Amino acid sequence: MNILDKERKLKSLLTQLETMEDDILIVSIKQKIEDYKHTAMTNLTAWDRVLLARHQNRPTAKDYINYMCDSFIELHGDRLYRDDGSIIGGIGEIDGIVVTIIAEQKGKTVDENITRNFAMPHPEGYRKALRLMQQAEKFNRPIVTLIDTPGAYPGIGAEERGQGEAIAKNLYEMSHLKVPIIALVIGEGGSGGALALGVADQILMLENAIYSILSPEGYASILWKDASKASAAAESMKLTSYDLEELSIIDGIIKEPIGGAHYNPTQTFEKTKQTIIKELLALKSIKQSDLLQKRYQKYRKIGFFQRFNYDNLGGIKR
Amino acid sequence: MNELVKAFETRKKEAKKAKYLKVKQNYKHAVDVPKGLYEKCPKCKETVNMTHMKKTLFTCKHCNEHFRMRAVDRIRLTVDSGSFVEKGLGFITLNPLFNEGYDEKIKSYQERTKLDEAYIYGYGEILGNPCVIGVMDSYFLMGSMGSVVGEKVTKSFEYAIYKQLPIIIFTASGGARMQEGIFSLMQMAKTSAAVKQHSNQGLLYISVLTHPTTGGVTASFATLGDIILAEPGALIGFAGPRVIEQTINETLPEGFQRSEFLLEKGFIDQIVDRKEMKQTLSQLLHYHKKVMG
Ligand SMILES: [Zn+2]
């Protein structure tokens, strides 16, 4: 039984509750609901978290922005080709701190998903992001990115306009932007499409967000030649927030309510807001040269391998 | 995590026994491509004498199709004889996700290619011009970038900074290495940051895209060169053609994602024939020579 099945069971208990009139029964079923939440809906598997990260009702980037910012002005376009709806960007004020926010935006309806392209950006989306980040650098504004994408869009137009180059340029420039950057994965952190907004001083994840090199379905079909093994793939890929924190890839986790962020969005937004304020203040106090040095070292040290140092032998001739 | 440490220690012991340096010196000749003495060119279907491949620079003498090349051959054909000194030795690939069969896979590729990983780099001179040269080997697990390749690419940039030298990288890769999961993905950020460090020093980076260069390598250091060259007919792109076809549900046009297509779209500086490569590189290095004093 995965989390979605459990959610359905919870829903049926809740509908039972609505039709009930007997007070004693109500108390007992309320107790049953609480027990069910605490026993069945905690200790999630990696696959459960994949399902929650992609959940239909999961809050999207705009929901976070609306809650966290006292005010927000969206800025459009890459100045080269067009405005990409799958990435939104702009300037906002969080608790008195003016920041540039860049976010991958999923749609909530079919129509919105068409304009948002299911949050799968084209090169122009990444170039818009870079334009706004460089603008933030000019005006010494910290940057907050919200990551939620299945991946960069694989299509003819995207290739023609240099998807690879656009992503690479963001990684390259973000590694040396002179303002603090916080990246927060709120849902799906899909591969290079996510990383292109993910080079930061602090990388955070919501508890049920995922971050991986490709989808579990893709992993299972490429490495195991069987896409139906996606749930097993999710377990071994180390894509949950807890796995990634253990591997020191990310710096922190923002807890979600039982059942996922959509069970209590306001609580999730508030926690997120407080965490971001805290991190912004901490990063603002770091000297610029130290900040850049730290950011470089942060990525420099990622890798899992062993080495014997043969350098002192002077290398070998071929 | 304890399990990881245990696996780490096992690989360390094994690697101590393996003696990588010796394996490397046994290198003889190209693998894979020349299965027999004569092969059919995949493009023009003419018969090609595979024993003369080195003379023809691994191209078809009938249609000039550029075949894939091993990293070691590439270095021999590019740098002045005797000038290459390999750096960054002794790396051992590990299996962070405990992917079944991955350790064995690595070992079998190491035996077949006589390389420890899909990327080698070192110091070299091209017609007398000193540089750092790095080459990816697509015969090693499709030249995919895992922790070790990412680390070595990064180190090659750092070595170039240390020596204040220009760097040339020949890319050939299927992208990030899936078996190493998130660690592979992060190598994209690491290598791109290293390019930036090198660039900040005012040093030259020439990237040469060869067949095939896709995925995470295209989306990181491959497309960040000050000057980007490509070999004719090379497949270069972010998403693989099959993935695109599945997504948009139609077949792709002829020549899509090939070097000529990228040149037309404005993403590479020039397509350089293999015969001209050494000359072109040396000329570019010459233009960027730092005047002393
Ligand atoms: Zn031919």
Side-chain angles (χ1 to χ4, degrees), chain A residues 304-308, chain B residues 11-12 15 20 90-94 148:
Chain A
F304 197 81
F305 57 85
Q306 172 67 297
R307 186 186 186 195
F308 297 110
Chain B
R11 285 300 302 273
K12 204 160 108 180
Y20 283 89
F91 283 98
I92 300 157
T93 304
L94 300 171
V148 171

Side-chain angles (χ1 to χ4, degrees), chain A residues 175 296, chain B residues 153-155 157-158 161 189-199:
Chain A
S175 78
Y296 182 69
Chain B
V153 170
T154 305
K155 281 193 85 69
F157 280 97
E158 288 174 344
I161 293 170
K190 179 161 116 185
T191 53
S192 303
V195 179
K196 181 73 181 169
Q197 297 278 319
H198 183 259
S199 177

